[in-house]
Amino acid sequence: MRRRQFLLQTAGLAGTTAALGLTGCSASKDVKLHLLVASYDKSIGASLGDQWDAVAAAFEKQHAGIRIELERVSYTKIDKTLAQRVEEGRAPDIAQSNIFAPYAEDGRLHDMSQLFDIATQADFIRSFTDAGTVRDATYGIPFLASTPRLFYNKELFRRARISGAPTSWDELRASALALKAIGVKTPYGLQLGPEAAEDEALSWLLAAGGGYTSELAEYDFGKPENVEALTWLRDELVAEGLAGTDPMKLNRTDAYTRFMRGEIGMMIGHPMLMGAADQAKLPYAHAAFPKKDGGAAPPVGISDWLMAFRRNDHRKECGAFLSFLYSGKSALTYGGSQSALPVTYSASDAATGNAAEQPLSPFIEQLANAQFAPVNMRSWPAVRGAIRTDVGQAVLKGGEPETVLASLDESAVKADMEAATG
């Protein structure tokens, strides 16, 4: 789910230096920058669109020769709309999307070195810019970032006599059994529904030492660690009735709602869950998701992306706007709420030093170690679709993890071939 608010208070850079010397002055001619951005409903708080308006107005005030034209599209349709615009030869100047690799490979985008000065580029958190890199250049600019943690209901844990957050899978299973014993419907909320199964699955695979790709950055679903992780989920969690009646139907949005109602004892969640839980006065806590044999697992990195298209030849103006967007001045003027994480080192330091943002600190501390799905591969959208459809089948009663993972490898090969010829 991408309904994370616009946390410019912690998404900005500490400096105000703009790329290519355009901040604070007029461009050589009047230019209109077309921005295609996602719109969100208000179930998680204030409208993102309102904050876009404020940033655009402030930018225009400082750049008399550049006008920002905002176009909002539902977050559920943004990827499809952008693809259609590009195909029709009507690419925007700047777009927000979950997908950037195809446009980068087709030579349609400016890379970060063409948009930001060196100091600004270096301030972006490396794990996120690595994820946005295609063929040794960074085209996906991280935006609305997040990493999950293990949330749990403290009152249910108290009633089940669980002393604290589990630090291994054995402890997680023991906690789930204790929650089941006091009548909790879903001790662990295993979110393998089609909304974001790829994120939940990746958390477990990373915690077992696996993942979606090999060290050569090629798809490798069938590795032994992945088989081990899904087999454990099937036998130790799902088969024991500790993950609800049908994990393949549990979407992230539904899981959050059920957690708020006290029907789920623990689950992977993102910072946005804190605000809703605080408002509902739910007694909760969160901890690092545990490795199989103990310790903190590598966190999954999640981000939307901004990208600047080359079609209209507005490189300097795009660089000026994006530098302003991530600048310290913009950040101080347009604060947000606890729903997205900083994407720069300087903003991370500022946020962890700000008393109002202290609840975000444990999430922020994970950012540097975040590991991503292969979002910088052209074939990823197709492979992601296969994961959402198939991975849950591996953990159901009678499921065969090796078979499912082999099928995902076959889907990845097919997707790679289609991407190469398409």
Side-chain angles (χ1 to χ4, degrees):
M1 181 173 62
R2 300 293 180 188
R3 295 180 296 176
R4 297 189 296 279
Q5 289 177 280
F6 200 8
L7 189 60
L8 287 176
Q9 182 173 346
T10 56
L13 298 177
T16 59
T17 302
L20 308 169
L22 280 175
T23 287
C25 64
S26 299
S28 58
K29 60 180 180 178
D30 288 345
V31 171
K32 180 174 66 177
L33 285 184
H34 178 202
L35 271 64
L36 182 68
V37 299
S39 64
Y40 303 78
D41 61 43
K42 297 188 178 183
S43 63
I44 307 298
S47 168
L48 174 62
D50 295 341
Q51 296 184 53
W52 269 121
D53 288 336
V55 173
F59 174 80
E60 289 177 346
K61 186 175 182 180
Q62 294 188 23
H63 300 75
I66 307 176
R67 185 164 64 88
I68 303 300
E69 181 182 69
L70 287 169
E71 180 184 0
R72 299 172 179 85
V73 176
S74 170
Y75 75 97
T76 61
K77 300 178 180 178
I78 189 71
D79 297 338
K80 183 177 181 180
T81 299
L82 177 59
Q84 183 176 351
R85 295 288 175 82
V86 171
E87 184 177 351
E88 294 171 350
R90 299 190 297 127
D93 293 293
I94 297 173
Q96 175 186 351
S97 181
N98 300 309
I99 298 168
F100 60 88
Y103 310 122
E105 289 189 3
D106 290 345
R108 299 180 184 274
L109 303 179
H110 295 295
D111 68 64
M112 283 183 65
S113 69
Q114 298 171 312
L115 300 167
F116 299 104
D117 59 31
I118 293 174
T120 300
Q121 294 176 61
D123 200 32
F124 280 93
I125 294 173
R126 179 67 180 273
S127 59
F128 281 77
T129 53
D130 283 350
T133 297
V134 177
R135 296 176 180 170
D136 300 322
T138 302
Y139 297 94
I141 304 168
F143 183 66
L144 302 182
S146 186
T147 60
R149 288 170 65 80
L150 181 68
F151 280 73
Y152 59 97
N153 185 314
K154 291 197 298 183
E155 173 59 20
L156 294 179
F157 268 47
R158 184 193 65 79
R159 287 169 48 196
R161 298 183 180 180
I162 305 169
S163 59
T167 60
S168 69
W169 290 9
D170 285 344
E171 290 184 9
L172 189 149
R173 181 178 183 275
S175 298
L177 286 168
L179 290 167
K180 183 181 180 181
I182 64 168
V184 177
K185 292 182 179 180
T186 305
Y188 179 84
L190 186 62
Q191 303 157 56
L192 295 180
E195 184 180 310
E198 71 277 10
D199 297 335
E200 175 85 24
L202 184 56
S203 292
W204 288 93
L205 301 187
L206 291 174
Y212 291 152
T213 57
S214 67
E215 293 181 359
L216 299 176
E218 298 174 343
Y219 291 111
D220 186 7
F221 287 98
K223 64 180 68 177
E225 296 88 349
N226 292 349
V227 175
E228 179 184 15
L230 297 183
T231 300
W232 189 93
L233 280 172
R234 181 194 65 189
D235 297 342
E236 305 296 332
L237 212 63
V238 177
E240 297 293 327
L242 304 178
T245 56
D246 192 351
M248 286 191 68
K249 292 183 179 179
L250 183 59
N251 283 323
R252 183 179 294 166
T253 305
D254 298 331
Y256 283 15
T257 300
R258 292 175 58 185
F259 182 78
M260 300 295 294
R261 292 201 299 249
E263 296 175 6
I264 291 178
M266 53 183 165
M267 54 174 273
I268 291 174
H270 290 268
M272 62 182 299
L273 183 55
M274 291 193 296
D278 290 339
Q279 187 175 4
K281 298 182 179 179
L282 181 79
Y284 72 94
H286 52 78
F289 191 74
K291 287 183 180 179
K292 184 176 186 299
D293 297 322
V300 174
I302 296 175
S303 182
D304 284 2
W305 308 92
L306 295 179
M307 63 204 81
F309 283 83
R310 302 164 60 96
R311 186 182 74 88
N312 296 319
D313 196 26
H314 291 158
R315 176 177 64 89
K316 291 183 179 181
E317 292 81 6
C318 287
F321 178 79
L322 290 168
S323 293
F324 178 85
L325 178 66
Y326 288 96
S327 71
K329 187 172 183 180
S330 175
L332 291 173
T333 305
Y334 311 106
S337 63
Q338 297 172 0
S339 52
L341 302 179
V343 295
T344 63
Y345 295 109
S346 58
S348 296
D349 292 340
T352 54
N354 183 347
E357 302 299 335
Q358 280 303 306
L360 287 172
S361 293
F363 296 88
I364 292 171
E365 291 168 2
Q366 297 184 152
L367 289 171
N369 296 321
Q371 296 190 26
F372 284 77
V375 293
N376 57 355
M377 296 176 67
R378 190 184 191 108
S379 57
W380 170 244
V383 175
R384 178 184 62 187
I387 295 171
R388 291 178 173 181
T389 301
D390 298 344
V391 73
Q393 299 175 12
V395 304
L396 300 182
K397 182 178 180 181
E400 299 180 355
E402 288 187 72
T403 301
V404 170
L405 291 168
S407 175
L408 287 174
D409 273 324
E410 292 176 3
S411 296
V413 170
K414 180 181 178 182
D416 274 340
M417 293 177 61
E418 291 177 350
T421 58

